[in-house]
Every structure is written in C-alpha cells, then in structure tokens.
Amino acid sequence: MAAPATPRASLILPRASSHSHSQPSAGRLTSDRVAASRRRRGDFVFVVNPSGANGRTGKQWKQLLPHLRTRLADQCKICECITSGPSDAIDVTREAIKDGADAVIAVGGDGTLHEVVNGFFCKGSPVCALDRGPDHSTALGLIPLGTGSDFARTFGWTNDPRDAIDRIARGLKSKLDIGVMEAANRETHFFVNVADIHLSAKAGYFASMYKRFGNLCYVFGALRGFWGHNNRDMRIKVNGGEWRTVDKVTALCIGNAKYFGGGMKITPTADPFSGSLEVVILQDFKWYDFLLKLHRLYGGTHLSVNGVSSIRVQSIEVAEVTASGDIFVQSDGEHFGFLPTKFSVLPGAVDFFC
C-alpha cells in the first residue's frame, strides 16, 4: 500500500474588509502553488509554525490575528500560511517571492526564521519575482513567538508580538546581512543569527530533542554534549588567506547577530548590518570552566577571559587537523552537518523590517 502523502502548508486567503473588494474566503488550499496563483500583488505572507514552543505559537497566533488584521488592513493583503513540517517554510517563502509578495513574515522562533531566510534563496542565488521586474524586492519580517527567539534579542525587542506588528506597520526597513555556509556535496545554506562548531553545535543538536521542556532544552543539550567531549585541533583560513592551526578548540562561533542558546551573548560585538561576521573561539575549556564563566558568556563579557579570542571576518573556512568527520556544525540552532565548512557574509542581502 502506498504511503499517505505528506500534507503541505495551507494558506488562508485575506478576509474581506471595508478596504477590500474581494469576497470572504475561509478555504484552506493544500497546494501552495495553487494558493500562490490566487494571491494578489501587495500580499504580506505570514509564515506560521503552529507547533513552535510546544504548540504555544499556534495558540498565540490565533489570539493575535484579529489585532494584526485591524492594524495592517489598510496597508496590505494578509495571507496566512500554516506550515505542517520541516522545510515547509522554505518552500512557502520561495513561492511567495516568485509570486511577487511584498513581504514574508516569519511567525515563530529562530528555526522558523531560519527556514524563511533560506527560502529567499535557491541553489545559492536569490529568489526573484517572476513578473514584477528587476527592481522589486520582497522584505523579511519577524514576529518572535518561539522557544528561544535569540535573533530578536540582538535588537533589544520585547516579547510582545504587538510591538513586532507595529514595526511592520511603520514600514521602516534596513539592509540585513545574511550568512552563507558551503560544504562539499551540500547545497549552499544560509543563516541570519549564529553558526557554530563542535561543543555548542553538538549541544544544540541534542537540545532539539528536548524542545518540549522549553528553555531547559539548552541545559539538557549541554549535558548531553559534554558527555564524551574532547577539545580538537582545527585549521582556519580567514578571508582567503593562509591556513593556520588553532589548538584545543572547544567551540567556534560565527555571529551575524549576538545571541544563541536561549540568551547566551556569544558573539557580543556582532552587527547584522555591518557587512562582516564576528568569530569567537573558545579554546581548552573544561566542563567546570563553563560553570565558573557561564555568567560572563550570558552577559557577553567573556572576550577578555583566558582562552577566548575574537576576530571580524568576511569569510572563514574551518577544517579539522586530523579528519574524523564527527565535528558538528549548526546554524541558527539547526543541524547543518560536519566539518569542513566555509562561512561567509552577503552584506545587505535582504530588506528587513526593524
């Protein structure tokens, strides 16, 4: 017997209002391509992960939707896209951009934002509208409703989603940098927050298994990550220069923004509008070093700690001195693979509501 088809993201078309000439529609279309054909230009597409934060995102979104319609009804046509599984947000975003949407708004945590950002690209290149001309661009927005929402912390934003809607309503945008990850036999990948290597990436991999515990998932992930952990010698190449060895690396973090792991200010001088990435390397840390210095890692005052170094780069390649193929790499809290990997920045790649 054939396996049942995996449900695709559904899209709810904009409701009619006194400012709309369309008739009300409450139907959910199971094919995002069909939905795209029915959308109109001027759409703001809200990509919602209903299962985020153990289902709280979906509940909060339903409560927020009437306020959003009231606040934005005069400015755009609201399209609600509900994702149903991994990578759904990538596909939905690509379709929305091709169809000429004016904005795609990620509603959820850092994982949802990560997928939406990757939907702005396909096979390493930006996705473009099919019939809006070369000058049209789709803006990126964020309503943080997830477990970590670390990217929002960089801007000092509150947890009130109504503040996020106000930012979108104001329409002020800046050119946001996007990080790029390249590895052999892997499709080019993109990140907006922090990419990291070795212990922190391994801890993040395990933390994803404990999301049901909220921010405690990061504690459980760290405990699992430390089990059997060994610091490793690595090679790095900065901005296309010469390879050099970095001994006893515990973790290497590449920040486009400042925070990861549920509020740890790991790359404290990173600026997603600067055109560069901050690389922070932790060397020869023991488990007790993290206990003793955890407050400094969360406070962003760790750059002066012994065994911590920081550099600003446009690109960095990272590889093992002795290849084992088991050094974890992640970005925005999502598992990417293993070393070797090259990281670089695309300055001002996306318009961002801020």
Side-chain angles (χ1 to χ4, degrees):
M1 180 181 295
T6 302
R8 301 301 305 274
S10 61
L11 184 143
I12 301 176
L13 297 173
R15 290 184 178 178
S17 70
S18 59
H19 306 279
S20 171
H21 300 292
S22 62
Q23 294 300 312
S25 175
R28 293 197 175 191
L29 306 180
T30 57
S31 167
D32 45 29
R33 286 189 176 273
V34 174
S37 71
R38 293 182 59 183
R39 285 200 303 266
R40 298 166 297 161
R41 293 176 181 176
D43 288 349
F44 276 31
V45 179
F46 291 81
V47 182
V48 185
N49 173 16
S51 61
N54 296 323
R56 292 195 306 274
T57 297
K59 295 175 183 177
Q60 287 181 279
W61 172 248
K62 289 178 181 178
Q63 297 168 357
L64 188 64
L65 199 50
H67 173 75
L68 183 142
R69 288 189 173 118
T70 300
R71 189 73 173 85
L72 298 179
D74 291 338
Q75 301 181 31
C76 64
K77 307 175 191 75
I78 296 168
C79 293
E80 179 191 8
C81 248
I82 308 297
T83 63
S84 58
S87 300
D88 238 1
I90 297 176
D91 297 335
V92 165
T93 300
R94 285 174 181 164
E95 291 298 324
I97 295 172
K98 289 176 184 178
D99 201 48
D102 282 355
V104 178
I105 317 296
V107 181
D110 295 312
T112 302
L113 177 63
H114 178 79
E115 286 198 5
V116 168
V117 165
N118 274 273
F120 273 73
F121 303 88
C122 184
K123 296 181 179 179
S125 299
V127 178
C128 298
L130 298 179
D131 62 351
R132 296 293 298 270
D135 295 331
H136 178 267
S137 64
T138 300
L140 170 69
L142 172 64
I143 299 179
L145 292 178
T147 301
S149 295
D150 280 313
F151 184 70
R153 298 176 197 269
T154 289
F155 305 97
W157 290 345
T158 69
N159 290 327
D160 189 342
R162 287 170 174 78
D163 290 343
I165 292 172
D166 288 342
R167 285 190 293 272
I168 295 165
R170 285 195 299 269
L172 299 178
K173 291 173 280 192
S174 294
K175 295 287 187 180
L176 181 72
D177 300 342
I178 300 295
V180 186
M181 302 170 68
E182 300 169 273
N185 302 317
R186 292 292 305 269
E187 184 176 340
T188 302
H189 207 69
F190 300 86
F191 67 98
V192 70
N193 194 37
V194 177
D196 52 304
I197 296 167
H198 204 20
L199 177 61
S200 55
K202 184 163 58 172
Y205 175 80
F206 288 122
S208 66
M209 302 176 183
Y210 299 99
K211 288 286 189 180
R212 63 187 181 278
F213 296 106
N215 279 341
L216 281 175
C217 70
Y218 301 112
V219 176
F220 296 143
L223 293 173
R224 285 283 302 273
F226 268 118
W227 186 264
H229 171 78
N230 293 302
N231 298 324
R232 297 284 188 87
D233 296 343
M234 296 184 190
R235 298 186 303 135
I236 64 171
K237 180 194 287 189
V238 174
N239 297 335
E242 298 295 323
W243 285 99
R244 67 181 180 91
T245 299
V246 184
D247 298 328
K248 300 179 180 178
V249 174
T250 307
L252 189 153
C253 303
I254 305 100
N256 187 47
K258 300 179 188 295
Y259 294 87
F260 80 161
M264 188 179 293
K265 199 174 184 180
I266 191 65
T267 45
T269 70
D271 178 357
F273 306 110
S274 67
S276 63
L277 302 168
E278 182 184 17
V279 176
V280 170
I281 305 174
L282 277 58
Q283 293 175 260
D284 201 21
F285 268 49
K286 309 296 191 299
W287 66 269
Y288 51 81
D289 289 316
F290 279 94
L291 292 179
L292 295 173
K293 299 165 185 176
L294 193 63
H295 66 289
R296 301 198 65 170
L297 290 167
Y298 272 92
T301 61
H302 54 286
L303 296 187
S304 60
V305 169
N306 187 41
V308 179
S309 58
S310 173
I311 54 175
R312 299 200 72 86
V313 307
Q314 276 69 51
S315 70
I316 182 170
E317 297 178 54
V318 186
E320 299 175 78
V321 169
T322 303
S324 66
D326 64 354
I327 301 295
F328 282 70
V329 179
Q330 72 170 1
S331 61
D332 300 342
E334 303 296 319
H335 180 64
F336 172 74
F338 302 90
L339 289 181
T341 307
K342 179 180 179 180
F343 306 83
S344 58
V345 63
L346 288 175
V350 175
D351 289 326
F352 180 63
F353 287 108
C354 59

